[in-house]
Amino acid sequence: MDDQTKMALAAAIAGGYVLGRTKKGKLALSVGTYLAGRRFGLEPRQLAAEGMRRLGEIPQVAELQDQLKGEVLEAGRKAVTAAATRSMGTLAATLHERTAGLGKKKEEEEPEED
């Protein structure tokens, strides 16, 4: 390791220590990863895509992903069905109330015969 790299590493460690002591570790980690990504010319989308691709190659993760995908789709279907049923029930109740209200108004508006 050359002297410049050692100095940068020492500065990074000292900065991390100071930021960690002042409860700013999350910010330091975010800034550090951003700067490292900029230095190596990496983009977040590329990193995420590469990470997902590599995770997909692991058989256990792929199996877990398939299992979760099925469960999430089923839960989503149930949620959409429940929301649609609730909305249709509300619509039906509103239409019933309005129809009943129209019938009452019509009876009230009819003139009484003398």
Side-chain angles (χ1 to χ4, degrees):
M1 233 191 289
D2 62 346
D3 288 338
Q4 186 178 8
T5 305
K6 287 180 184 179
M7 297 270 296
L9 182 60
I13 290 173
Y17 175 77
V18 169
L19 290 173
R21 296 294 295 171
T22 60
K23 308 284 190 226
K24 304 289 184 195
K26 187 175 181 180
L27 175 65
L29 183 63
S30 299
V31 170
T33 54
Y34 174 75
L35 292 175
R38 297 287 291 182
R39 183 174 182 181
F40 295 116
L42 302 174
E43 292 184 21
R45 287 183 188 168
Q46 290 175 340
L47 288 174
E50 181 68 20
M52 291 302 293
R53 186 185 63 79
R54 287 191 181 182
L55 278 176
E57 292 174 356
I58 300 171
Q60 294 87 358
V61 173
E63 181 180 319
L64 181 63
Q65 185 180 12
D66 290 340
Q67 180 183 358
L68 285 175
K69 193 181 296 182
E71 291 175 6
V72 168
L73 285 175
E74 184 63 30
R77 284 187 193 117
K78 286 181 182 179
V80 168
T81 303
T85 302
R86 188 172 46 248
S87 296
M88 292 305 231
T90 304
L91 177 62
T94 303
L95 288 175
H96 178 70
E97 290 172 8
R98 287 186 179 188
T99 303
L102 287 175
K104 288 180 184 177
K105 286 183 183 178
K106 199 171 197 179
E107 291 173 1
E108 292 173 359
E109 289 178 1
E110 290 180 5
E112 295 181 18
E113 294 181 20
D114 292 313

